[in-house]
Amino acid sequence: MQNHRFCYLDNGATTFKPDCVIKVSNSYYETWNANTHRGDYDIAHLADKRYWQARERVAKFINSNPEEIVFTAGNTEGMNIVAYGICSILSPGDEIVISTAEHASNVLPWFNWAKNFNLVVKFAPLDEEGKVTVDTLKMVMSDKTKVVSLAHVSNVLGNVIDAKAIAKLAHDNGAYFVLDGAQSIPHKKIDVKDLDCDALIFSGHKICLKVSLMIKISYKKL
């Protein structure tokens, strides 16, 4: 930078896109550009087919079902969709638990919809290593806790939570478990069925993909 060679390390924010991704993206705009699910001509059918193939690949990537994959414009929009969907079926006074180490995209949507639906947002404290754990969650959870929403990997300290154990804690208490995978998906093998999260949100642009974001939602639970 400033006319000096440099090594780009800000991949936690976004990544440069590989040539193969750029070529496929350009191919769409140049040769088979069509709105999906509304045309019956050849390239519209091709767009439908490849759109569904993308959904199948994402599902395989996180061990989900294709019908549970939703594409949105970004991580914040995805969290807003999940937050609104869950908050709209809760009762006034119900509680949402997040931690003091969350990214704004996992804080502001909950506060916004909690205000609209008369819900309560509570912060779980961190342990001495700056992690949210089952024990720190138990300090603030109650019989009114209906949502636990946490980052799988902290974007600040890089701490990794025990998502599977926290999912069990949430479900044992009758709460949904929402997992922000923006910083974990590029570095860890994610199996949503094993983790048993109700929603996983992650940003494709952080893992060298053109697609902005994917969400896994367990519709049966919602």
Side-chain angles (χ1 to χ4, degrees):
M1 298 179 70
Q2 290 81 48
N3 298 318
H4 295 281
R5 295 186 65 185
F6 73 99
C7 181
Y8 180 83
L9 299 176
D10 199 16
N11 296 295
T14 193
T15 55
F16 279 84
K17 312 306 180 283
D19 287 340
C20 60
V21 172
I22 295 171
K23 287 178 181 178
V24 171
S25 179
N26 288 342
S27 174
Y28 166 75
Y29 289 113
E30 293 170 355
T31 61
W32 48 283
N33 179 70
N35 291 333
T36 58
H37 307 306
R38 65 172 300 275
D40 57 3
Y41 46 92
D42 287 354
I43 62 171
H45 173 70
L46 180 60
D48 289 346
K49 179 180 177 181
R50 292 184 174 174
Y51 190 75
W52 182 255
Q53 287 174 337
R55 181 174 274 112
E56 289 178 325
R57 289 181 179 179
V58 173
K60 183 178 180 180
F61 184 55
I62 61 173
N63 192 29
S64 183
N65 300 315
E67 296 82 3
E68 296 175 329
I69 302 299
V70 180
F71 298 112
T72 72
N75 205 87
T76 301
E77 182 187 12
M79 188 62 73
N80 267 283
I81 291 171
V82 172
Y84 173 77
I86 296 178
C87 290
S88 65
I89 60 174
L90 300 183
S91 301
D94 284 346
E95 299 173 352
I96 300 153
V97 173
I98 57 179
S99 84
T100 55
E102 299 308 306
H103 188 276
S105 64
N106 193 30
V107 175
L108 300 180
W110 295 112
F111 271 96
N112 178 52
W113 295 116
K115 181 178 179 181
N116 279 267
F117 293 106
N118 296 314
L119 307 173
V120 177
V121 179
K122 299 172 73 173
F123 285 98
L126 307 179
D127 67 9
E128 293 180 353
E129 296 180 352
K131 291 176 65 174
V132 57
T133 66
V134 168
D135 289 336
T136 62
L137 285 167
K138 287 180 178 178
M139 295 179 185
V140 295
M141 290 180 65
S142 71
D143 58 359
K144 289 188 175 182
T145 301
K146 301 303 178 184
V147 183
V148 176
S149 185
L150 300 169
H152 198 179
V153 173
S154 168
N155 70 299
V156 179
L157 299 175
N159 288 329
V160 183
I161 66 170
D162 188 342
K164 190 172 182 178
I166 292 173
K168 185 177 186 306
L169 173 68
H171 294 154
D172 286 349
N173 285 270
Y176 297 113
F177 179 49
V178 178
L179 191 61
D180 179 356
Q183 301 300 333
S184 62
I185 200 77
H187 306 291
K188 297 173 62 65
K189 174 62 179 174
I190 301 297
D191 183 334
V192 292
K193 292 180 180 177
D194 180 61
L195 292 175
D196 199 24
C197 54
D198 297 297
L200 170 73
I201 298 91
F202 66 92
S203 297
H205 71 89
K206 297 177 186 289
I207 51 174
C208 302
L209 297 177
K210 189 69 174 179
V211 176
S212 294
L213 174 118
M214 306 76 158
I215 308 173
K216 180 269 179 187
I217 303 177
S218 177
Y219 292 103
K220 291 181 180 179
K221 292 181 179 179
L222 296 181

